[in-house]
Amino acid sequence: MVSRPRIEKMSAEVVDSNPYSRLMALQRMGIVQDYERIRQFSVMIVGVGGVGSVAAEMLTRCGIGKLLLYDYDKVELANMNRLFYQPHQAGLTKVEAAAETLKFINPDVIIEPYNMNITKIDSFPLFMDKIRTGNKDNSGPVDLVLSCVDNFGARMTINTACNELDQTWMESGVSENAVSGHIQLIVPGRSACFACAPPLIMASNVDESTLKREGVCAASLPTTMGIVAGFLVQNTLKYLLKFGRVSNYLGYNALDDHFLLLALKPNEDCDDSYCRKRQLEQQSNPTVVEENPQPTQTEVTHESNEWGIELVSDSVDVPNENTVDRSHIELASSSSGTVSLDQVKYQYVPKAKCNPQIDTSDNETSAASTARDEDLSIEDLMAQMKRM
Amino acid sequence: MVDEVTKKTLSNIPLLKTKASPRDGEQWRQRLKEELQALIQYVKNNKEADNDWFRLESNQEGTRWWGKAWTIQDMLRYEFDIEFDIPVTYPMSAPEIAIPDLDGKTAKMYRGGKICMTDHFQPLWARNVPRFGIAHALALGLGPWLAVEIPDLIARGIVVHKEKTASTTTADGSSSTK
């Protein structure tokens, strides 16, 4: 298959052969002021699995300037319950398979695949360097980092890098039971970072004990992953092209079709020293957050309600042990009439609020023995380990 | 939550004080020292309790670890290679322990042979930063995983003791996977 020739300038001309005509129409309709600006932006996507690959495809079809893709996994037939990858790509690294597909879809987009595990000590400096210099012409930072990873360690790694580099990023996630997800905008110093509090999860009206079934690590649905990817890219477009309201935190529960919008404030006692540093910078030099200009739209009036459609409240009464710290959270809105923080909870009880989970009362002796060994060098201790 | 045996095991492992990752230079050397002291104490505890079940060593920098873990089943010793890297964000993030030989053999595992921890692991780890270290990850993560998964894999014939497979009889009591 041969990909189409590259297009130098985006055109608004409405012809069948113009892949950008419907995107440029956003300008004519007053939604976006200058759509072609999208070609100047560079977005890094970390994790090109169920959410990341779909997000990458959406941004590619939107004509983004440059995509930097990070993953260290291979495509497997087990991934075929999700979108994007195809059976013939099994065995390829995800980033090379994605790059091949995306370049074919839109050759105007610069695609840079990086097959590496960012959590490893030797990969991390390279990852940091790309955030710092990965814009379209490699002269400055990327415009946005999208986290589409599926584990705590990788999220924390992205968080660490972005706090250090003062880099805005968006985090996304889908629950292990595949029926809820979220996206979150993180602006260092201005909103809660990933280390400020335990991760928030949408409380689904399901007995939590049923979520970990025998012999299963995680379930996944192409629907939930596609929806979360859609929210993530929609938020990305609004952020980059400055239209609409950029969501701070958007939660989605598929079982009840419930949506929740939150604003998360940073924790001044955050474990991440760079997060605390960014907060102080914000306090001494606060950035004014401008609302994106809202286009004037004609209100649609419905004369009759032939189908008897009515709006119903979908609030659910979920017991919530890991109650969120209300001082750090503002409810923006919810898809239900009543807005309640019971619809979201921490993944686990925050450190400050809980008693130690292990009994360490008899630990004084072992702690003392550790102190007595202070004079031994690392080499001595390593040798001792080997001899055991 | 965590069972009493694991709780007791954890309470006898020295707690760590230094919050440092391999990016933190001299502080990491101090952390590494504490890690090694805790591991040595944990192995001693295990030997005293007649429950010696792993050996570990690392590279000079203490960023890459490997070794062996074993379990006794029906008087036979099943031994596996284990490995893990210290993540950049350690100790905020726990190490992901892998048993490469078992990659793809069980659903309780991620790609590359990384073991799938129980629901209790992450919250417990997060609440005990920086006090928990490698020894705690083994006691709270790998130990219970082996205790649950290996008997099941043996019962299903996925893990076979090498003495039982004529083609690969070895002097050491290690195991092979089908």
Side-chain angles (χ1 to χ4, degrees), chain A residues 101-330:
Chain A
T101 303
L102 298 172
K103 282 173 184 170
F104 179 74
I105 290 170
N106 190 346
D108 301 335
V109 180
I110 300 164
I111 310 285
E112 290 186 4
Y114 295 97
N115 185 40
M116 66 166 73
N117 180 352
I118 62 162
T119 68
K120 292 200 174 181
I121 204 75
D122 50 354
S123 305
F124 187 69
L126 304 171
F127 172 64
M128 290 265 286
D129 197 51
K130 275 294 166 195
I131 296 175
R132 207 184 281 114
T133 63
N135 71 354
K136 196 173 178 193
D137 54 7
N138 300 314
S139 62
V142 296
D143 295 287
L144 193 64
V145 175
L146 301 183
S147 165
C148 304
V149 296
D150 61 359
N151 66 86
F152 181 87
R155 282 187 179 96
M156 196 58 88
T157 302
I158 298 164
N159 189 72
T160 299
C162 291
N163 276 341
E164 278 190 37
L165 299 172
D166 202 8
Q167 171 68 53
T168 298
W169 62 294
M170 286 185 199
E171 196 267 322
S172 66
V174 173
S175 64
E176 288 209 323
N177 66 351
V179 290
S180 68
H182 72 275
I183 62 158
Q184 183 177 348
L185 170 72
I186 300 173
V187 183
R190 229 172 60 201
S191 52
C193 86
F194 195 70
C196 278
L200 282 174
I201 51 172
M202 285 295 286
S204 51
N205 217 2
V206 178
D207 175 13
E208 298 282 325
S209 64
T210 66
L211 301 188
K212 276 278 182 187
R213 297 193 185 277
E214 274 309 300
V216 177
C217 266
S220 65
L221 279 169
T223 46
T224 316
M225 288 184 162
I227 288 164
V228 170
F231 283 141
L232 183 64
V233 175
Q234 194 80 290
N235 220 36
T236 297
L237 294 173
K238 289 193 288 183
Y239 173 80
L240 295 174
L241 296 172
K242 299 195 178 341
F243 69 96
R245 183 180 69 180
V246 180
S247 291
N248 226 292
Y249 178 99
L250 169 61
Y252 164 63
N253 174 1
L255 296 183
D256 302 298
D257 277 337
H258 180 80
F259 299 88
L260 191 66
L261 289 171
L262 303 172
L264 305 170
K265 296 176 193 168
N267 176 3
E268 57 195 31
D269 301 318
C270 180
D271 277 338
D272 190 308
S273 61
Y274 276 95
C275 175
R276 297 195 303 271
K277 183 184 174 188
R278 300 291 168 228
Q279 288 180 56
L280 292 172
E281 288 169 0
Q282 280 294 329
Q283 284 161 23
S284 58
N285 187 20
T287 46
V288 181
V289 187
E290 289 178 32
E291 273 290 304
N292 293 332
Q294 301 298 319
T296 51
Q297 287 178 336
T298 327
E299 200 176 314
V300 181
T301 54
H302 299 282
E303 287 172 14
S304 63
N305 188 354
E306 184 185 346
W307 305 102
I309 296 167
E310 55 182 291
L311 286 168
V312 294
S313 166
D314 62 355
S315 63
V316 284
D317 194 19
V318 181
N320 189 358
E321 293 159 22
N322 304 349
T323 317
V324 291
D325 182 350
R326 286 156 197 267
S327 64
H328 287 140
I329 296 182
E330 290 170 9

Side-chain angles (χ1 to χ4, degrees), chain A residues 72-73 76 119-120 160 164 212 215 217 271 348 354 357 359 363 370 374 376 382 385-386 388, chain B residues 11 13-14 19 23 29 33 37 55-59 85 88-89 107 111 114 116 119 124 126-127:
Chain A
Y72 66 99
D73 213 352
E76 294 176 342
T119 68
K120 292 200 174 181
T160 299
E164 278 190 37
K212 276 278 182 187
C217 266
D271 277 338
Y348 49 84
C354 62
Q357 288 298 304
D359 177 17
N363 218 71
T370 301
E374 281 301 307
L376 287 173
M382 282 180 169
M385 275 276 289
K386 266 191 172 174
M388 291 185 91
Chain B
S11 67
I13 301 171
K19 186 183 172 195
R23 299 176 69 216
R29 288 188 64 78
K33 214 175 197 182
Q37 288 162 353
R55 280 297 172 277
L56 264 188
E57 57 181 298
S58 78
N59 62 1
D85 288 290
V88 168
T89 50
R111 274 179 285 286
K114 289 174 184 172
C116 181
D119 279 350
L124 200 53
R127 285 197 291 259

Side-chain angles (χ1 to χ4, degrees), chain A residues 20-73:
Chain A
Y20 297 118
S21 59
R22 283 154 175 81
L23 294 165
M24 293 294 277
L26 289 165
Q27 231 169 267
R28 275 204 318 277
M29 292 181 175
I31 301 292
V32 178
Q33 280 185 334
D34 178 11
Y35 189 84
E36 202 173 358
R37 278 183 65 221
I38 199 163
R39 295 189 120 175
Q40 303 313 312
F41 296 120
S42 170
V43 174
M44 178 186 278
I45 299 180
V46 188
V48 282
V51 173
S53 62
V54 179
E57 180 175 344
M58 287 176 177
L59 285 168
T60 299
R61 290 183 185 278
C62 286
I64 196 82
K66 179 177 174 181
L67 281 180
L68 299 91
L69 308 176
Y70 279 79
D71 208 311
Y72 66 99
D73 213 352

Side-chain angles (χ1 to χ4, degrees), chain B residues 6-7 9 14 19 40 44 51 60 70 75 90 95 102 109-110 117 127-128 132 135 140 143 157-159:
Chain B
T6 308
K7 205 177 268 192
T9 304
K19 186 183 172 195
I40 288 164
K44 282 179 183 170
N51 183 29
Q60 206 64 42
W70 56 88
M75 307 290 281
Y90 188 78
L102 297 181
M109 190 168 257
Y110 299 111
M117 302 292 198
R127 285 197 291 259
N128 283 283
F132 277 8
L140 194 60
I158 292 166
V159 168

Side-chain angles (χ1 to χ4, degrees), chain B residues 12-47:
Chain B
N12 288 323
I13 301 171
L15 296 173
L16 289 80
K17 300 184 191 79
T18 309
K19 186 183 172 195
S21 86
R23 299 176 69 216
D24 296 324
E26 201 47 51
Q27 269 192 301
W28 170 246
R29 288 188 64 78
Q30 178 54 37
R31 171 80 189 193
L32 185 53
K33 214 175 197 182
E34 292 171 22
E35 292 282 4
L36 289 161
Q37 288 162 353
L39 278 163
I40 288 164
Q41 185 61 50
Y42 183 33
V43 172
K44 282 179 183 170
N45 294 350
N46 289 342
K47 284 184 169 183

